[in-house]
Amino acid sequence: MGLFDIARAAGFEVHGGPEDTRATRPSLITRFPGRALKLDWFLSRGLTLGAVEIRPSPGPDGTPLSDHDAIVARI
């Protein structure tokens, strides 16, 4: 049983897009830039959420500002 299955069994909802998405990009300090991961998830329980949005982290010139994207949720 995976993390999200355990979370759902405990009453959590998983937000952040399709679970099989590999969207995390390398940052300026990424030790293993060849790895394709998705690290940006939001779990909620007992909340009413509006749209959950993932905002990309590259700067205007494409330079990665972080290896994580921002998750925005209206509660």
Side-chain angles (χ1 to χ4, degrees):
M1 183 179 286
L3 172 65
F4 295 136
D5 295 323
I6 293 168
R8 286 187 185 101
F12 287 88
E13 291 182 57
V14 178
H15 310 277
E19 292 174 24
D20 62 349
T21 302
R22 302 291 183 243
T24 302
R25 71 192 50 76
S27 73
L28 299 177
I29 61 170
T30 301
R31 290 178 44 198
F32 306 103
R35 289 186 183 170
L37 304 170
K38 179 159 175 42
L39 304 175
D40 306 309
W41 300 97
F42 181 77
L43 303 179
S44 67
R45 182 170 63 183
L47 300 174
T48 302
L49 296 179
V52 176
E53 177 186 347
I54 298 178
R55 295 188 182 166
S57 61
D61 65 354
T63 301
L65 303 176
S66 173
D67 59 344
H68 292 270
D69 289 336
I71 300 175
V72 179
R74 184 171 299 274
I75 300 172

